[in-house]
């Protein structure tokens, strides 16, 4: 079993930046693909970014491409989401997710087995 804990959310003005962190447990973190998802009130959960086990392969939703960067530090069992040029439309609860066995990235939320509790990101205009 893997536990994930997100941190780094908060309130920021449009155009600002935040860095989210997701801390995982256990050595198996090094073998897992990881992803970030978000959910705004009244909307379905949507894919944001994903990264393979080593960090050598990443994938982004078109809505955040060029503004967000996903990365990981396996020595710290941590995955990051650097969020730049934030827009009010980015306001949502952001969730970190991990795969039990898959080492590659995926944007399909149903291929993830472990989820964090979420962290709120609010971007004011």
């Amino acid at each position: 079993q893997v536990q994930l804990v997100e941190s780094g959310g908060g309130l920021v003005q449009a155009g600002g930046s935040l860095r989210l962190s997701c801390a995982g447990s256990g050595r198996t973190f090094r073998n897992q693909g990881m992803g970030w998802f978000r959910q705004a009130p009244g909307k379905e959960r949507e894919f944001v970014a994903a990264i393979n086990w080593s960090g050598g392969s990443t994938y982004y939703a078109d809505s955040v491409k060029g503004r967000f960067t996903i990365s990981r530090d396996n020595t710290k069992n941590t995955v990051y989401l650097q969020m730049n040029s934030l827009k009010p439309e980015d306001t949502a609860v952001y969730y970190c997710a991990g795969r039990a066995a898959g080492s590659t990235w995926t944007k399909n939320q149903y291929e993830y087995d472990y989820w964090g509790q979420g962290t709120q990101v609010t971007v004011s205009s």
Side-chain angles (χ1 to χ4, degrees):
Q1 182 73 279
V2 175
Q3 292 183 323
L4 303 174
V5 180
E6 301 101 333
S7 62
L11 175 64
V12 65
Q13 291 186 341
S17 298
L18 287 173
R19 184 174 67 250
L20 306 184
S21 298
C22 174
S25 63
R27 294 177 60 187
T28 56
F29 180 92
R30 297 172 56 88
N31 300 321
Q32 295 176 323
M34 303 290 295
W36 287 96
F37 294 79
R38 67 186 182 186
Q39 186 169 23
K43 300 179 64 177
E44 73 280 2
R45 183 163 56 189
E46 65 176 349
F47 169 78
V48 176
I51 190 167
N52 78 325
W53 72 274
S54 69
S57 179
T58 59
Y59 186 80
Y60 299 92
D62 288 341
S63 60
V64 306
K65 192 175 300 182
R67 299 188 298 120
F68 291 9
T69 302
I70 187 171
S71 62
R72 68 192 299 162
D73 185 346
N74 286 339
T75 67
K76 298 181 178 180
N77 281 1
T78 302
V79 63
Y80 304 95
L81 185 68
Q82 179 66 46
M83 310 165 67
N84 297 328
S85 302
L86 282 163
K87 306 174 181 179
E89 307 91 86
D90 296 317
T91 296
V93 177
Y94 284 71
Y95 297 92
C96 176
R99 305 185 69 189
S103 61
T104 61
W105 60 262
T106 177
K107 63 180 181 179
N108 184 353
Q109 63 178 309
Y110 299 109
E111 295 187 56
Y112 290 89
D113 303 283
Y114 310 113
W115 293 84
Q117 83 289 347
T119 185
Q120 177 71 48
V121 173
T122 302
V123 184
S124 63
S125 59

